[in-house]
Amino acid sequence: MFSLKKTFFVFSLLCFVPLLSGHATAQMSGNGPDGEKLLNLARGTLSLLNPDAGVLRADLICDYVEAKLIAPSCYGVDKIVVDPVAGISELVILSASNSGFVEFHDWRPTTSPALIAQIEESLDRQVKESCGDKNCAFSKWVVPPTLVKKKQYLIFSYSVAAEGKVINQAQVIQYDRKGFVVFDVTLENAVAPQDQQAVLRLLSMVGDMYQPEENERYAAFSYREKMPFSNMKNMLREYFTLPYTSPMDQVEEGYFLAGCVAVGLLSLIILLIFLPGAKTMDTRQGCHKV
């Protein structure tokens, strides 16, 4: 399973190292039906709406990552797109996860708030670990984790307070038949980090720009296939290194709940059996006294 610890924690050092000038870019894969550039990925294509967008050459990816990121590592990076669309300066595309099909039925209004709170704690911990002796911390959600079920992607954005500056972090997780693809989004300086609607629009745009191949689409998954599958809770717990509930813990919780239900039913049965008898005895005693 993909996880932040196994890849890297994306955290832009805008105040320490300038962007690489004169991006050396790779060639695009072709043009889409509307004339936009198309970039081939492992299980789909990404439409680049900006005609001046560029893709960093593979041999430059590690140098670029090491120049821009804390705890430098280019492990798990598939592509880096520069200026893919107005409002986004860089798009770091991680290698597609083959962890398995992810079900959405457990991401509900009643269950997601508690999980989002755990994600926030995990992100705050990751930020502090990545910053080391620098004064950094999770600030607030700009766009809290939002699952767009109809289009099969999760979007979120948050602010990080670092050395007196506020830096915006954003991601789009696109789900498909075999797992998911992660897009780390770096917004342009002109986009205010606190502008929720603008950030939401840009993240939704990234989600719409990616199109899985026909046989890799989310809807192409069949339970008759011998492929792994999971649910949103377990996927996010692993991805954000949240506390994991093991199957045995779930079984024990089930036994506990079943035991509570059994005790409740037994108590109800006892009341139903003995309470009428007690009432009858009281009635008889009352009649005898009269």
Side-chain angles (χ1 to χ4, degrees):
M1 174 69 75
F2 241 69
S3 73
L4 289 176
K5 286 185 176 178
K6 292 179 182 177
T7 56
F8 59 88
F9 184 73
V10 179
F11 186 73
S12 300
L13 275 175
L14 300 180
C15 53
F16 291 96
V17 182
L19 297 180
L20 296 179
S21 59
H23 301 291
T25 58
Q27 295 295 320
M28 299 295 103
S29 62
N31 293 327
D34 298 326
E36 73 274 12
K37 296 179 180 179
L38 290 181
L39 175 64
N40 282 334
L41 300 176
R43 296 198 295 264
T45 58
L46 185 73
S47 300
L48 304 180
L49 306 182
N50 181 10
D52 297 325
V55 180
L56 210 64
R57 290 205 321 256
D59 60 324
L60 297 177
I61 286 179
C62 285
D63 291 338
Y64 187 84
V65 169
E66 290 172 4
K68 280 208 63 181
L69 305 177
I70 291 177
S73 171
C74 56
Y75 174 79
V77 178
D78 184 16
K79 298 283 194 304
I80 296 180
V81 184
V82 182
D83 299 326
V85 65
I88 297 176
S89 56
E90 290 96 34
L91 198 61
V92 179
I93 307 170
L94 303 187
S95 302
S97 165
N98 294 312
S99 56
F101 179 75
V102 179
E103 298 177 310
F104 298 153
H105 66 271
D106 60 329
W107 183 269
R108 302 185 301 274
T110 55
T111 59
S112 59
L115 194 56
I116 291 174
Q118 293 181 21
I119 292 173
E120 180 176 329
E121 292 178 4
S122 176
L123 288 175
D124 185 52
R125 185 169 60 252
Q126 291 280 358
V127 168
K128 291 175 180 177
E129 289 176 357
S130 298
C131 286
D133 58 352
K134 300 180 179 66
N135 186 19
C136 304
F138 179 96
S139 179
K140 67 175 182 177
W141 290 111
V142 178
V143 177
T146 303
L147 177 65
V148 184
K149 289 186 179 181
K150 185 177 181 180
K151 297 184 178 180
Q152 294 91 46
Y153 57 73
L154 180 79
I155 56 179
F156 60 91
S157 176
Y158 56 96
S159 295
V160 172
E163 298 293 315
K165 295 181 179 292
V166 176
I167 300 172
N168 180 266
Q169 298 287 285
Q171 280 196 345
V172 177
I173 302 178
Q174 176 78 54
Y175 298 94
D176 59 23
R177 171 173 166 263
K178 292 181 181 176
F180 53 90
V181 182
V182 176
F183 300 87
D184 280 297
V185 182
T186 300
L187 302 177
E188 291 180 352
N189 293 335
V191 180
Q194 69 274 15
D195 190 344
Q196 184 183 48
Q197 291 304 314
V199 175
L200 179 61
R201 178 181 60 83
L202 288 171
L203 296 183
S204 299
M205 191 178 295
V206 171
D208 294 338
M209 285 162 55
Y210 178 73
Q211 291 296 325
E213 295 176 2
E214 192 63 34
N215 63 337
E216 301 292 355
R217 295 182 183 277
Y218 188 85
F221 177 80
S222 171
Y223 288 97
R224 290 174 294 183
E225 301 177 62
K226 293 183 179 179
M227 290 177 58
F229 62 91
S230 183
N231 54 38
M232 282 291 293
K233 289 182 180 179
N234 287 337
M235 174 262 160
L236 291 172
R237 281 171 177 160
E238 179 69 19
Y239 183 72
F240 291 101
T241 63
L242 302 184
Y244 179 73
T245 303
S246 69
M248 184 55 65
D249 291 335
Q250 295 174 1
V251 169
E252 291 175 355
E253 289 177 4
Y255 283 145
F256 175 75
L257 291 175
C260 292
V261 171
V263 171
L265 288 174
L266 182 60
S267 301
L268 180 60
I269 292 172
I270 292 173
L271 288 174
L272 291 175
I273 292 176
F274 291 99
L275 189 59
K279 287 183 178 179
T280 303
M281 185 175 295
D282 290 342
T283 303
R284 290 177 179 175
Q285 290 176 353
C287 291
H288 180 71
K289 288 178 182 178
V290 174

